[in-house]
Amino acid sequence: MKDFAEGLACACAVLDVASYLTYNWYARHKKSNPNPVMWAIWSCLALTNLFSYGTMSGDRFKATVAMTNAFMCVLTFVVIMNRRRRDVADQMRPPPIEPYMKVVAVICAVAIAAWAVLREAKYACFISQFGTCVSMSPLFKELPKKPSAEPV
């Protein structure tokens, strides 16, 4: 069973990287309009999840998906900020900060605070995963209405 779990973690990590690379290609070629604020928040959530899950599980294979997700999320944020820097020079206006983004940022801060205060990684891990779920809600709400739009 351990070999299966390790293989599954590696397969998930490879698929995670492939999906991020595909997304970054679209973002880089201006075929999507990513919101840098949301990607900054997702990067924070992914890093919190990585460190809390890694601490909680103590198993490097179980943390493989969290590790690749955090790395690729931060890389995506850097790609978006690089694109945004060029777009600002072209006078492109950044997307607005939506109320749900503020909620997710607070959830991320609570996850970090819970870990710092309680010294228990599992609470930070659960809270950051909840924040990730909340952050995806606009995607499921808005994308079916307009598939070519990126609500986040």
Side-chain angles (χ1 to χ4, degrees):
M1 188 64 166
K2 184 179 178 189
D3 291 337
F4 176 74
E6 290 174 358
L8 186 59
C10 290
C12 288
V14 167
L15 290 173
D16 199 31
V17 169
S19 66
Y20 273 103
L21 290 175
T22 302
Y23 181 85
N24 284 328
W25 185 88
Y26 277 95
R28 186 156 170 77
H29 291 89
K30 297 186 179 187
K31 296 181 186 263
S32 68
N33 187 27
N35 189 320
V37 173
M38 202 63 235
W39 278 98
I41 294 169
W42 278 334
S43 294
C44 184
L45 283 169
L47 289 168
T48 303
N49 188 46
L50 165 64
F51 293 119
S52 62
Y53 189 78
T55 301
M56 184 178 75
S57 72
D59 186 334
R60 68 179 182 174
F61 282 105
K62 288 181 183 175
T64 301
V65 176
M67 185 172 26
T68 56
N69 187 47
F71 175 77
M72 294 305 295
C73 196
V74 170
L75 179 66
T76 300
F77 175 66
V78 169
V79 167
I80 290 166
M81 290 308 294
N82 185 43
R83 175 186 155 195
R84 186 67 54 197
R85 184 177 49 85
R86 288 191 315 262
D87 291 345
V88 167
D90 296 337
Q91 303 300 325
M92 183 177 174
R93 204 172 142 189
I97 297 174
E98 301 290 337
Y100 80 92
M101 293 177 186
K102 294 175 184 175
V103 170
V104 176
V106 168
I107 292 170
C108 185
V110 167
I112 294 168
W115 194 7
V117 171
L118 301 174
R119 300 277 188 231
E120 190 66 45
K122 69 180 175 183
Y123 297 117
C125 186
F126 294 144
I127 294 168
S128 67
Q129 289 174 354
F130 174 70
T132 301
C133 293
V134 171
S135 74
M136 298 296 172
S137 61
L139 180 71
F140 295 108
K141 181 181 172 191
E142 299 297 325
L143 200 58
K145 294 177 188 173
K146 189 176 177 190
S148 64
E150 184 174 348
V152 294

